[in-house]
Every structure is written in C-alpha cells, then in structure tokens.
Amino acid sequence: MLRHMRRLGVACCFAVAAPGTAWAAAPGATIDKADTLLLIVSSALVLFMTLPGLALFYGGLVRAKNFLSVLMHCFGLAALASILWFVAGYSLAFRGDGALLGNLSAVGLSNLDAIRHGLTVPENVFALYQMTFAIITPALIVGAFPERVRFGWLMLFSALWLLIVYVPVAHWLWDGGWLARQGARDFAGGIVVHTTAGLAALVLAIMIGPRKGFPHSMIPPHSPAMTMIGAGMLWVGWFGFNGGSALSADHTSGGAIIATHLAACAAALTWAAAEQIKIGKPTSIGLVTGAVAGLATITPAAGYVSPLGAVIIGIAGSLACFASVLAVKHRWKVDDTLDVFAVHGVGGMLGSLLLAPFASTMLGGTGLDGGRGIGGQFLVQIEAVAVVALWSAAMTLIVARGAALILPMRVDAEQEHDGLDISLHGERAYEFD
C-alpha cells in the first residue's frame, strides 16, 4: 500500500516528533488536489463497504430473528474503531520509525502535518482513509459467529484486538515496520486486513462453538436478495479500497481498479461453474461469494499485476476459497458461519503469495524491488503471511479469553433460540400482522 512512499525513498525514514510538536512539511512539498480527492472519495467508498455493504451482506445470510444484531455489530464497530483510531490507533500505526510500533505524537489526531510526509495529501486526509480500513477489519470478523455472541463482549474484544493485532501489523507493513524492511509487500490489505481478520475468525469460531443444529441441519439465510445487494456495495466500495491504496491519482490507481474488477468477475464466474459441477446448479449466494473471494485475493497484489494476472489470481482465489468453505464446514466441522476464514483469510493469504510471480515483469507485473527474484520475493511473502497469521491467531485467543473474564462471550440457549434481536436488543427487524 505504501508503494508510492517507497518509490520516493521515504518509507523507512519518517521523522519522530515529540508530543505537542507539529511536523514541518518537506521542503517544496505541495498538496495535489487530485490525489487528495482520490483519498477523500476512497474513504467514503471504504466506509460504504462496512455501512451498509457488509452489514447487508452479512445480515441477509443470517436468520430474520438475528438480522438487527448483525447490523448492530457493524454499526457499533464502525463507531468504536473510529474513536480508537482518533485516540491512539493512528498514531501508533503511522507515526514514528520503530520496527514494531509507532509513537504517540499524534494522540487525538493532534499535531497532524499540513502534508503527509512523503505524499502529496494532507495528513488528516491520510488518517481518515486509514481509519476506514481500521473500521472494516474487525467488522469482517463478526461473520464468524453471528447469532450467538453478546454485544458487550464483542465491543470489548474488538477494542483490544484492534490495538493489539491490527495496529501493530499495519505498522509492520504499511509504515516502514520490520516486515516492510524485509521487503514484504501488501498493496491494500491482503495481510493487514484479510489475513488478520481471517485467522481471528477461525479461532473465535472454534472457541465460541457452533450454532444449535450445526452441521446436521441446514440453517438457510433469510434474504439472499439482501446479501446480493450488500455484495454489490462491497464490489463498488472495493474500488476505493484498492484504487485509493495507490495514494495518488495516477496509472497505479487505475491499474489497481481494473485488476480489482477483473479478478471479481473471473472469481464470480468460476464459483458459479464450481457450484454447477458440485451441486448441479449455480446459486445467487455462490455467485456473490465468489466475487468477494476474488476481491479478497486480488487485494494484496492489485497495484502490481497486469489485467491478465488479475484474472488468473481471481480464478485461483475462487477455486481455493470454494474448496476451503467445504473443508471448514464439512471436514473440520467448524461453524465459521459466513465463511470469513475460508473466503477472506484464505483469499488474502493466497493473493499475498501469488503477488510474487505476478508482480514480476516476466508475467506482466510492475516489477519486484531490490533486484529480488520471484523466489526471493515468494519467501519474503511467506514469512510475512506466516508471522501475521500466527500473531493474529495467538493474540485473538488471548484477547478473547481475557475479554470473557470481564463480560460473558456467548448467549444462553434460550436467548439463542429466541434470536438476538429481541433477547439482547428488544427489537425486531420485521413485524408481521
């Protein structure tokens, strides 16, 4: 994601400012209005992915008696993550030159530069854009355990998880931290967003346990149409997710958007074909799940690969995620309800590895840094994926257990039977006479 910064040679040399001291803009640096507008529009698009895109995508997949609870999760996490980002998240992720973590020089979004160092946009716009990524990442995780967790526990867990898992990983890869110094690449969040959220989802789904009746009885979604609408919003919003990650309105952002769209198209069609072969008919849920799988898989590589590379990555991501959905639910018997690990986790990790060959000029990509070959870049990507996956899994386990010592994690059997809308929130999404 910081390709533009590394191109300017500043990814690992951010100046350290003491709290209360404003950073001076680099000599001769000016704000580019096109770049600034790109990030402002992209910020709106990425927020749109969570509210209402992800909320409707997930909400349509659960039973009607739990629909409002899913919307509550997404809206509550959007508010919570934004406040945490304002208080200290941004500063710890994107200020300072530490290998493991930033500093507290921008607590409360104070002392922001007129121009973000190494870029051509105001730092407050950059902070806003990054805030929307901090919002959607914990929101992705809630798809692993809808219909059975308490709202209070979710808020406490998510607050701790954001600061302990997401913030450090964002610094490691996007602000010149130790993985970036090793040469690891992540254009828009295959590792920072999808790997962290995917592994957290798998761990939590195992910890919390399955819904009553799983896996022996089918628990159908209450509104596939709503899920398709939400998926369409995610698809459109992903243009800001990946296109904005170029951090400049140029050929890189255009190429990232084209790659994003083509990967989603190829993945959706591939998933539909796989369903035709496997169950004899393509489904609406399968079509949109395939599109999301392609979007997740192309995310880490979107700004580095050719259109042909994006199509191949989309197909590979769709097939891998399709197989993973079957494995997690039917072979592992894990109730990752909305397939967060199988789609986002597997897709993000696979795309991060496929970046190595398809970013090379040999396969039409933009090239690899530092004279590194495909094999060398592949090993660096494996290291980054493995480290982040282990960090997210281990910290998720610790944080979830810690939060459960303060607030109960799972609802009781009666509340689960009645549905979380009425039992936890005293409301119903639908009233029928």
Side-chain angles (χ1 to χ4, degrees):
M1 185 175 182
L2 294 180
R3 175 182 180 275
H4 186 63
M5 291 185 178
R6 286 197 292 271
R7 185 177 55 177
L8 295 175
V10 296
C12 298
C13 57
F14 297 112
V16 180
T21 303
W23 290 15
T30 58
I31 291 175
D32 186 291
K33 293 183 178 180
D35 294 349
T36 302
L37 181 61
L38 171 71
L39 288 198
I40 291 174
V41 173
S42 294
S43 298
L45 287 172
V46 180
L47 180 61
F48 181 70
M49 290 175 70
T50 306
L51 304 177
L54 189 68
L56 295 179
F57 180 75
Y58 280 174
L61 291 170
V62 302
R63 287 170 286 192
K65 62 184 179 180
N66 295 300
F67 177 48
L68 280 180
S69 70
V70 173
L71 301 190
M72 283 281 290
H73 292 170
C74 291
F75 274 77
L77 288 174
L80 176 67
S82 298
I83 294 299
L84 291 174
W85 199 247
F86 151 75
V87 172
Y90 172 75
S91 191
L92 291 171
F94 288 101
R95 276 295 187 97
D97 59 356
L100 298 177
L101 200 61
N103 59 38
L104 296 174
S105 62
V107 166
L109 295 182
S110 61
N111 308 315
L112 298 182
D113 293 346
I115 303 176
R116 168 70 181 182
H117 193 66
L119 296 177
T120 55
V121 300
E123 190 176 8
N124 63 353
V125 173
F126 177 78
L128 170 67
Y129 181 59
Q130 294 298 339
M131 179 187 290
T132 60
F133 281 74
I135 289 170
I136 198 171
T137 306
L140 288 173
I141 300 171
V142 305
F145 45 74
E147 306 191 320
R148 58 196 188 276
V149 299
R150 295 180 183 271
F151 184 75
W153 174 85
L154 175 64
M155 292 296 108
L156 177 58
F157 163 79
S158 299
L160 297 172
W161 188 90
L162 185 74
L163 295 174
I164 294 172
V165 177
Y166 179 82
V167 164
V169 173
H171 182 76
W172 297 349
L173 282 153
W174 286 345
D175 195 45
W178 74 278
L179 287 177
R181 297 176 193 183
Q182 296 288 330
R185 286 187 176 192
D186 184 6
F187 187 78
I191 301 175
V192 176
V193 176
H194 296 291
T195 299
T196 59
L199 268 295
L202 180 63
V203 170
L204 290 172
I206 294 171
M207 289 179 64
I208 295 168
R211 294 162 293 169
K212 185 178 180 180
F214 176 89
H216 305 294
S217 61
M218 293 293 294
I219 305 175
H222 90 279
S223 180
M226 189 176 297
T227 293
M228 293 195 77
I229 293 170
M233 293 175 177
L234 286 171
W235 192 329
V236 172
W238 228 294
F239 283 18
F241 198 91
N242 288 355
S245 292
L247 303 178
S248 59
D250 58 13
H251 68 285
T252 302
S253 61
I257 292 173
I258 290 173
T260 298
H261 185 64
L262 291 176
C265 294
L269 295 174
T270 300
W271 196 291
E275 282 192 323
Q276 180 68 48
I277 295 170
K278 180 69 177 177
I279 64 175
K281 63 186 70 173
T283 67
S284 61
I285 297 298
L287 188 71
V288 298
T289 301
V292 172
L295 290 164
T297 307
I298 195 60
T299 289
Y304 305 131
V305 302
S306 68
L308 176 59
V311 170
I312 296 172
I313 288 173
I315 294 171
S318 185
L319 293 174
C321 293
F322 183 84
S324 298
V325 167
L326 298 178
V328 171
K329 279 192 162 67
H330 301 294
R331 186 177 303 170
W332 301 356
K333 302 288 193 293
V334 174
D335 189 10
D336 177 1
T337 307
L338 308 183
D339 304 315
V340 181
F341 171 73
V343 173
H344 295 279
V346 171
M349 290 187 286
L350 177 63
S352 299
L353 300 181
L354 292 178
L355 179 156
F358 287 103
S360 70
T361 54
M362 291 176 55
L363 295 179
T366 60
L368 303 173
D369 294 333
R372 191 178 288 110
I374 293 175
Q377 187 67 47
F378 188 74
L379 291 176
V380 170
Q381 296 299 117
I382 288 178
E383 176 190 26
V385 168
V387 166
V388 171
L390 289 172
W391 177 258
S392 181
M395 291 301 104
T396 296
L397 178 62
I398 293 171
V399 169
R401 290 295 186 196
L405 296 175
I406 301 171
L407 294 171
M409 179 186 296
R410 182 163 181 160
V411 299
D412 60 38
E414 183 178 355
Q415 290 172 318
E416 185 174 350
H417 177 269
D418 293 341
L420 304 192
D421 290 0
I422 193 68
S423 63
L424 294 188
H425 307 297
E427 300 171 297
R428 287 189 174 91
Y430 308 102
E431 292 290 348
F432 300 101
D433 296 329

